[in-house]
């Protein structure tokens, strides 16, 4: 699946490893179940580690372990399953996660901007997606009423001439 | 039970029926009585992919080609409380 | 009333352009119906039985004359000369074409209106008291807070793909005219002993398949923390509301399953986090800014008129008694414009009627119209001395039926005549009952009676909270109607109890008449139908109704 980050296609350097699969060399993404089962060994590896959370898995249980991950993937099994938006806010705002937050699964054009606003900064998109569409979708709305986990100045900031309050910082 | 394939037209939502010549018509009188339900539904799915209609499905009609259920009677005619509107007013 | 600033306007304009693009992608095939449906729904566009249906938001039920005229214009230009006011302070067009919808939205945007979030699994149009700003019993104008909530909830990136739709209602009066206890979140604004505003947040009320009364989850929330508290509640729901079963996915089911105490605990924990972060704290400058839009209009210093001297005709006198309510300013009155003519379609208004009400509002009511969840219009600030002239003008247009809160002031959803979800028609039942009880003296003798009809279990017609509720059901292709008694959507909220086996369409008026006769025979002085029902219980009504069966 093509991966978009910072408004451009980038190479996915992380291998997604199924639970029963032997771990390859290099950067990997594992499930929460596998991470919990093999935590010590996984943390001892000297390569970047990623975690995939399904939409019914709260990141809260990770606690301070969250800082070990270079990538956290939030799965959207259907685009209508919006739990990932709240997990993203929780990771960014409450848990202070600063690594890559990647949307995977059914990640469609009309959700990208909202995903970006809650702190997701990498998007696994459908094959055939054009980068112009991504850029256009991200520019469709420029006025935001509420603070979220992006860096925009929301309407309240603009109306009352105050700086943006950035959730992750 | 004889059946007819119906849908709403994509562009304006108008209630339409599949006719024997494969076109979608606005009046139930010109609708085709379906013999092969699977084939009819496949035609409907193709028409959805061709962006002609939305949500094709079959419903039962009486031997004299009228809908059995109130829902389809109302779709075929228009609102019962506004007989000046819908197909019944044409 | 609130006016858009440059930011509000830009947001709506961008939305129109975005939806234009989405429609173009749908028509070009880039989007299939499954992908397009949630997008069109988030813009209030449904596909109903006969055509598309566009639902326009009337935030907290307040309109200017200019806005109402635009709604009339759209009805003429793109639809069939009429529209339908709903039980959620929205307006529905029943016949728009898909390709026209971007143009309709563009027209709406020119008068600061939109269809954003009038459908879909997001926070819907915020509703409020239709007498706001005019009622003598309110502690603050609830529209200030409704507008603040409207802005916060609009395109909320975290809460646009909730487990299910989400409805918020706000009132600031002890008399609840906004049915707040049957909303996902209902807010009652009061003043604490120090005089500061305090927000009581009820969560988990709702109608539909599982009618439940909301629980007091947040008590005495401070004004500056209101949005933080709402965000916390929404986050708990978005994370833990059920997504495996459509019928169990509303927040009321979550509250019911984990219990009000656990809900309170979870929301409090999340609230503490959101509050600590601070970004959602409402700046006083913003509260003041919005407050300024809702200051009283320039009421003249008038003496209270002697309305008894004004009773020029019997019909006018009846209308004064029912459709005119007390205003907070001396010499003024609140007028309900009935959209329930005898035998008519509840909530429907044609373009000429909309234009007329807009003109009258401009001349006689500070340019403001309200839309009530009971499907009537309200002119909130009318000089008492203008009442007779106003009545005459309304009467000519069939808008002066003197039936506010009486048995023919029926709420009804569109039902199977229009709606894709309905199991049975509801308008036909409303019409039959309206005709059966057309006699005004009889209606007034019966007194306050909230009769509410839904054509399916989704309960858009609020039948669960009708003093008498009627639910249309389908039994093997035939329409039947189930009657319930004792519901209330007011401050004494309750869910009605089902009487017994359902009735065929033709038998409903007789059945309702028997219930009314039972009440009239048993009532004590001053009792409404609901009071008598609550005193006696369902049994006498049940016996009377099913005695012959």
């Amino acid at each position: 699946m093509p991966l978009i980050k910072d408004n451009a296609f980038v190479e996915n350097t992380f291998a997604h490893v199924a639970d029963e699969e032997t771990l390859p060399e290099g950067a990997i993404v594992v499930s929460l179940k596998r991470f919990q089962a093999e935590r010590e060994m996984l943390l001892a590896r000297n390569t970047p580690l990623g975690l995939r959370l399904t939409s019914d898995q709260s990141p809260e249980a990770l606690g301070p372990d969250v800082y070990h991950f270079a990538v956290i993937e939030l799965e959207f099994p259907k685009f209508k399953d919006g739990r990932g938006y709240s997990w993203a806010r929780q990771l960014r705002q409450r848990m202070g996660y600063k690594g890559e937050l990647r949307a995977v699964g059914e990640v469609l054009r009309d959700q990208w901007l909202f995903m970006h606003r809650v702190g997701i900064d990498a998007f696994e998109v459908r094959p055939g997606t054009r980068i112009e569409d991504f850029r256009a979708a991200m520019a469709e709305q420029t006025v935001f009423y509420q603070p979220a986990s992006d860096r925009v100045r929301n309407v309240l900031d603009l109306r009352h001439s105050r700086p943006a309050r950035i959730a992750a910082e | 039970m004889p059946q007819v394939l119906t849908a709403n037209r994509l562009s304006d939502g108008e209630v339409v029926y599949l006719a024997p010549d494969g076109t979608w018509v606005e009046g139930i009188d010109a609708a085709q009585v379906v013999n092969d339900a699977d084939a009819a539904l496949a035609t409907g799915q193709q028409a959805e992919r061709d962006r002609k209609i939305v949500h094709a499905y079959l419903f039962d009609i009486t031997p004299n080609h009228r809908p059995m259920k109130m829902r389809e009677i109302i779709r075929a005619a228009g609102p019962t409380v506004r007989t000046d509107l819908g197909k019944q007013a044409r | 009333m609130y006016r858009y600033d440059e930011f509000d306007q830009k947001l709506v304009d961008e939305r129109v352009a975005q939806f234009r693009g989405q429609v173009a992608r749908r028509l070009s095939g880039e989007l299939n119906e499954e992908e397009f449906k949630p997008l069109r729904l988030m813009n209030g566009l449904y596909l109903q039985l006969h055509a598309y249906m566009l639902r326009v938001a009337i935030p907290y039920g307040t309109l200017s004359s200019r806005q109402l005229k635009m709604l009339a214009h759209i009805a003429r230009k793109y639809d069939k000369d009429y529209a339908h006011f709903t039980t959620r302070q929205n307006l529905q067009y029943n016949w728009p074409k898909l390709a026209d919808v971007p143009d309709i939205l563009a027209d709406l945007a020119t008068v600061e209106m939109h269809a954003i979030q009038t459908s879909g699994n997001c926070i819907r149009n915020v509703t409020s008291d239709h007498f706001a700003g005019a009622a003598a019993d309110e502690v603050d104008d609830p529209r200030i807070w409704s507008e603040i909530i409207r802005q916060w909830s609009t395109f909320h990136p975290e809460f646009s793909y909730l487990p299910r739709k989400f409805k918020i209602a706000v009132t600031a009066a002890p008399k609840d005219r906004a049915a707040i206890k049957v909303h996902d979140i209902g807010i009652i604004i009061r003043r604490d002993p120090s005089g500061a505003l305090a927000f009581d947040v009820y969560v988990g009320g709702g109608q539909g398949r599982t009618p439940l009364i909301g629980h007091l989850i947040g008590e005495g929330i401070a004004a500056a923390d209101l949005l933080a508290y709402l965000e916390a509640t929404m986050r708990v729901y978005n994370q833990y509301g059920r997504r495996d079963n459509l019928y169990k996915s509303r927040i009321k089911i979550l509250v019911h399953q984990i219990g009000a105490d656990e809900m309170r605990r979870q929301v409090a924990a999340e609230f503490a986090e959101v509050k600590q972060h601070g970004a959602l704290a409402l700046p006083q400058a913003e509260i003041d800014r919005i407050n300024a839009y809702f200051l009283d209009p320039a009421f003249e210093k008038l003496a209270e008129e002697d309305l008894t001297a004004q009773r020029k005709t019997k019909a006018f006198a009846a209308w004064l008694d029912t459709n005119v309510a007390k205003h907070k300013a001396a010499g003024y009155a609140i007028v309900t414009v009935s959209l329930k003519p005898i035998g008519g379609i509840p909530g429907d208004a044609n373009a000429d009627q909309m234009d007329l009400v807009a003109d009258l509002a401009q001349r006689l009511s500070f340019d403001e119209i309200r839309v009530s969840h009971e499907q009537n219009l309200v002119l909130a600030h009318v000089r008492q001395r203008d009442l007779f002239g106003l009545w005459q003008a309304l009467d000519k247009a069939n808008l002066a039926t003197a039936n506010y809160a009486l048995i023919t002031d029926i709420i009804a959803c569109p039902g199977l005549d229009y709606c894709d979800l309905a199991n049975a028609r509801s308008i036909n039942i409303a019409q039959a009952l309206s005709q059966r009880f057309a006699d005004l003296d009889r209606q007034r003798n019966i007194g306050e009676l909230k009769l509410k009809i839904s054509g399916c279990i989704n309960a858009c017609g609020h039948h669960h909270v009708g003093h008498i509720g009627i639910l249309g059901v389908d039994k093997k292709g035939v329409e039947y109607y189930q009657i319930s008694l004792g519901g209330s959507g007011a401050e004494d909220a309750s869910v009605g109890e089902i009487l017994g086996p359902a009735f065929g369409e033709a038998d409903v008026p007789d059945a309702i008449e028997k219930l009314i006769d039972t009440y009239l025979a048993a009532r004590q002085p001053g009792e409404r139908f609901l009071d008598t029902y609550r005193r006696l219980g369902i049994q006498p009504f049940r016996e009377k109704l099913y005695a012959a069966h």
Side-chain angles (χ1 to χ4, degrees):
Chain A
M1 293 283 235
L3 184 67
I4 295 177
K5 203 175 174 185
D6 295 329
N7 269 322
F9 285 112
V10 294
E11 196 194 340
N12 181 6
T13 55
F14 284 76
H16 184 256
V17 188
D19 283 350
E20 313 308 324
E21 225 174 299
T22 319
L23 295 179
E25 293 298 310
I28 53 165
V29 175
V30 296
S31 72
L32 180 63
K33 186 179 155 205
R34 184 153 190 176
F35 174 73
Q36 285 168 339
E38 301 172 33
R39 180 177 175 279
E40 302 305 320
M41 186 273 285
L42 286 165
L43 293 181
R45 280 168 57 103
N46 210 8
T47 51
L49 181 62
L51 178 74
R52 175 173 293 203
L53 294 174
T54 57
S55 67
D56 59 350
Q57 290 174 331
S58 167
E60 203 165 11
L62 294 172
D65 275 351
V66 76
Y67 301 111
H68 295 302
F69 299 108
V71 168
I72 294 178
E73 295 182 345
L74 295 172
E75 194 175 74
F76 292 83
K78 296 292 288 177
F79 70 86
K80 286 185 264 189
D81 183 343
R83 282 174 282 196
Y85 297 93
S86 283
W87 304 139
R89 297 269 336 250
Q90 201 167 335
L91 280 160
R92 292 297 192 205
Q93 182 170 311
R94 184 182 311 174
M95 302 175 74
Y97 175 69
K98 298 232 182 12
E100 179 178 313
L101 201 49
R102 189 183 284 187
V104 302
E106 203 169 58
V107 180
L108 306 181
R109 171 183 174 144
D110 294 286
Q111 286 80 51
W112 293 333
L113 182 57
F114 284 172
M115 289 178 173
H116 167 72
R117 291 216 66 213
V118 297
I120 289 168
D121 56 358
F123 306 82
E124 229 181 64
V125 298
R126 278 183 181 172
T129 301
R130 296 173 304 178
I131 200 68
E132 307 87 84
D133 290 339
F134 184 84
R135 291 174 186 152
M138 299 301 268
E140 272 174 356
Q141 292 177 358
T142 63
V143 181
F144 306 104
Y145 278 129
Q146 57 295 99
S149 298
D150 51 4
R151 287 159 185 275
V152 300
R153 286 179 82 194
N154 64 55
V155 170
L156 285 185
D157 301 329
L158 294 165
R159 274 184 188 144
H160 302 291
S161 306
R162 55 179 206 187
R165 310 184 68 165
I166 293 163
E169 288 159 17
Chain B
M1 191 80 71
Q3 288 188 312
V4 158
L5 187 71
T6 186
N8 291 75
R9 197 154 58 205
L10 172 64
S11 61
D12 61 1
E14 176 80 34
V15 173
V16 289
Y17 305 93
L18 184 66
D21 64 357
T23 60
W24 294 85
V25 295
E26 295 183 11
I28 191 171
D29 294 340
Q32 176 185 27
V33 178
V34 168
N35 295 316
D36 182 342
D38 290 341
L41 288 171
T43 305
Q45 282 163 9
Q46 186 57 46
E48 286 183 46
R49 282 192 293 274
D50 293 341
R51 310 191 298 278
K52 288 181 183 149
I53 53 105
V54 178
H55 186 47
Y57 63 92
L58 293 163
F59 67 88
D60 296 338
I61 53 168
T62 63
N64 54 358
H65 210 83
R66 308 312 318 164
M68 301 279 289
K69 285 200 170 159
M70 186 57 97
R71 173 192 164 88
E72 294 306 328
I73 293 169
I74 290 173
R75 284 180 82 246
T80 64
V81 294
R82 286 294 302 265
T83 50
D84 59 325
L85 300 177
K87 298 177 192 294
Q88 61 199 345
R90 288 174 201 163
Chain C
M1 60 183 284
Y2 187 70
R3 295 300 311 266
Y4 282 7
D5 67 6
E6 59 189 297
F7 305 109
D8 302 305
Q9 189 65 50
K10 192 172 182 206
L11 177 139
V12 170
D13 291 343
E14 285 178 349
R15 178 56 151 188
V16 173
Q18 183 183 44
F19 192 63
R20 203 180 282 286
Q22 288 167 347
V23 170
R25 283 190 283 139
R26 174 70 184 107
L27 293 171
S28 76
E30 195 180 320
L31 290 171
N32 63 32
E33 186 59 20
E34 196 203 349
E35 291 159 354
F36 181 60
K37 189 174 171 185
L39 303 178
R40 67 168 159 79
L41 288 179
M42 223 89 83
N43 256 305
L45 187 63
Y46 285 74
L47 186 54
Q48 296 285 34
L49 287 189
H50 310 289
Y52 289 96
M53 179 271 278
L54 180 66
R55 182 181 290 156
V56 177
I58 301 170
Y60 39 89
T62 298
L63 282 171
S64 68
S65 299
R66 187 165 157 254
Q67 290 175 323
L68 185 53
K69 287 198 161 185
M70 178 55 81
L71 295 174
H73 167 75
I74 289 168
R76 285 197 188 93
K77 184 169 176 189
Y78 302 101
D79 210 87
K80 295 185 187 288
D81 280 332
Y82 75 107
H84 176 74
F85 291 95
T86 76
T87 54
R88 295 213 69 259
Q89 297 179 320
N90 293 312
L91 174 126
Q92 293 181 178
Y93 293 110
N94 289 306
W95 310 86
K97 295 180 169 62
L98 177 59
D100 284 342
V101 173
D103 293 337
I104 298 175
L105 297 178
D107 282 356
L108 287 171
T110 65
V111 295
E112 304 174 12
M113 294 187 80
H114 58 74
I116 295 165
Q117 290 173 210
T118 55
S119 179
N121 292 338
C122 52
I123 302 173
R124 301 286 190 88
N125 184 31
V126 179
T127 56
S128 188
D129 184 346
H130 46 266
F131 288 174
D137 60 345
E138 70 185 17
V139 302
D140 195 24
D141 193 324
R143 294 172 302 168
I144 299 165
W145 306 95
S146 303
E147 176 60 26
I148 287 169
I149 295 168
R150 183 191 76 82
Q151 296 193 16
W152 160 78
S153 63
T154 298
F155 302 142
H156 198 300
E158 186 180 348
F159 306 132
S160 291
Y161 295 93
L162 295 167
R164 199 81 173 82
K165 59 187 165 184
F166 204 94
K167 301 174 182 177
I168 301 178
V170 185
T171 185
K175 188 157 173 58
D176 179 5
R177 287 171 288 261
I180 70 107
K181 286 182 186 162
V182 287
H183 281 75
D184 295 287
I185 287 182
I187 297 170
I188 300 178
I189 307 171
R190 56 180 172 82
R191 287 199 183 270
D192 70 14
S194 75
L197 291 176
F199 294 73
D200 287 342
V201 182
Y202 287 78
V203 181
Q207 302 193 55
R209 187 169 298 253
T210 314
L212 291 166
I213 304 297
H215 297 269
L216 180 58
I217 297 292
E219 198 170 352
I221 304 299
D225 295 333
L226 176 64
L227 294 184
Y229 197 83
L230 296 180
E231 183 135 314
T233 309
M234 299 304 303
R235 185 166 298 152
V236 169
Y237 170 55
N238 192 41
Q239 291 174 337
Y240 299 108
R242 286 180 63 172
R243 291 174 186 267
D244 59 328
N245 181 336
L246 183 67
Y247 301 118
K248 296 188 189 297
S249 52
R250 297 287 289 268
I251 196 172
K252 62 190 172 188
I253 303 295
L254 177 65
V255 175
H256 187 69
Q257 287 183 341
I258 67 177
D261 288 341
E262 175 60 15
M263 187 70 189
R264 207 170 284 126
R265 191 193 66 72
Q266 289 192 19
V267 173
E270 191 64 44
F271 176 50
E273 294 280 350
V274 178
K275 207 164 122 170
Q276 190 199 352
H277 181 259
L280 262 178
L282 258 173
Q284 187 59 42
E286 179 66 4
I287 298 173
D288 294 344
R289 187 187 79 86
I290 292 185
N291 192 37
Y293 289 107
F294 292 100
L295 297 178
D296 281 344
F299 294 130
E300 297 167 44
K301 283 220 179 314
L302 299 173
E304 204 59 7
E305 300 265 327
D306 179 8
L307 290 177
T308 53
Q310 279 206 20
R311 305 170 78 87
K312 300 176 203 248
T313 72
K314 190 187 170 202
F316 175 59
W319 182 80
L320 274 183
D321 288 339
T322 52
N323 291 36
V324 176
K326 188 172 165 42
H327 195 282
K328 66 182 180 185
Y332 283 87
I334 305 171
V335 171
T336 296
V337 177
S338 174
L339 295 182
K340 318 289 177 66
I342 297 303
I345 298 178
D348 273 14
N350 64 41
D352 291 345
Q353 288 176 320
M354 288 189 256
D355 274 342
L356 174 75
V357 174
D359 284 335
L360 292 169
Q362 201 164 18
R363 282 201 291 118
L364 302 174
S365 189
F366 294 95
D367 206 28
E368 216 182 281
I369 302 101
R370 311 295 178 75
V371 178
S372 78
H373 83 271
E374 292 166 328
Q375 299 178 290
N376 290 310
L377 300 179
V378 173
L379 298 176
H381 310 296
V382 180
R383 281 184 302 214
Q384 289 172 337
R385 65 166 178 256
D386 292 333
L387 286 170
F388 187 66
L390 173 64
W391 173 79
Q392 286 180 306
L394 291 171
D395 191 40
K396 265 186 221 152
N398 206 16
L399 291 168
T401 311
N403 60 354
Y404 177 68
L406 299 181
I407 190 168
T408 63
D409 187 8
I410 299 169
I411 288 186
C413 71
L416 190 56
D417 277 302
Y418 291 97
C419 180
D420 188 41
L421 299 173
N423 294 320
R425 289 173 295 162
S426 41
I427 297 169
N428 61 330
I429 299 297
Q431 290 175 319
L433 290 171
S434 174
Q435 267 148 359
R436 175 66 65 97
F437 291 97
D439 182 81
L440 207 53
D441 292 332
R442 186 180 181 203
Q443 288 191 51
R444 295 176 64 179
N445 178 39
I446 295 166
E448 182 187 303
L449 199 143
K450 309 266 183 174
L451 205 162
K452 309 190 187 213
I453 309 172
S454 304
C456 81
I457 193 68
N458 290 306
C460 295
H462 294 188
H463 66 276
H464 292 301
V465 294
H467 299 176
I468 299 177
I470 301 179
L471 167 66
V473 295
D474 174 298
K475 283 192 190 175
K476 294 181 182 159
V478 182
E479 296 163 302
Y480 276 85
Y481 296 89
Q482 194 175 69
I483 300 172
S484 57
L485 297 183
S488 168
E491 60 282 358
D492 58 351
S494 58
V495 172
E497 187 180 347
I498 295 170
L499 258 179
F503 292 86
E505 180 193 355
D507 297 328
V508 173
D510 285 346
I512 300 299
E513 201 157 34
K514 272 187 196 161
L515 296 171
I516 295 300
D517 290 344
T518 308
Y519 149 68
L520 290 176
R523 76 171 162 190
Q524 291 176 354
E527 274 187 346
R528 303 170 298 164
F529 178 91
L530 183 63
D531 302 323
T532 304
Y533 169 84
R534 284 180 172 165
R535 179 169 54 81
L536 295 177
I538 202 164
Q539 211 47 40
F541 295 94
R542 192 172 272 157
E543 278 165 18
K544 189 75 183 259
L545 198 53
Y546 294 103
H549 290 251

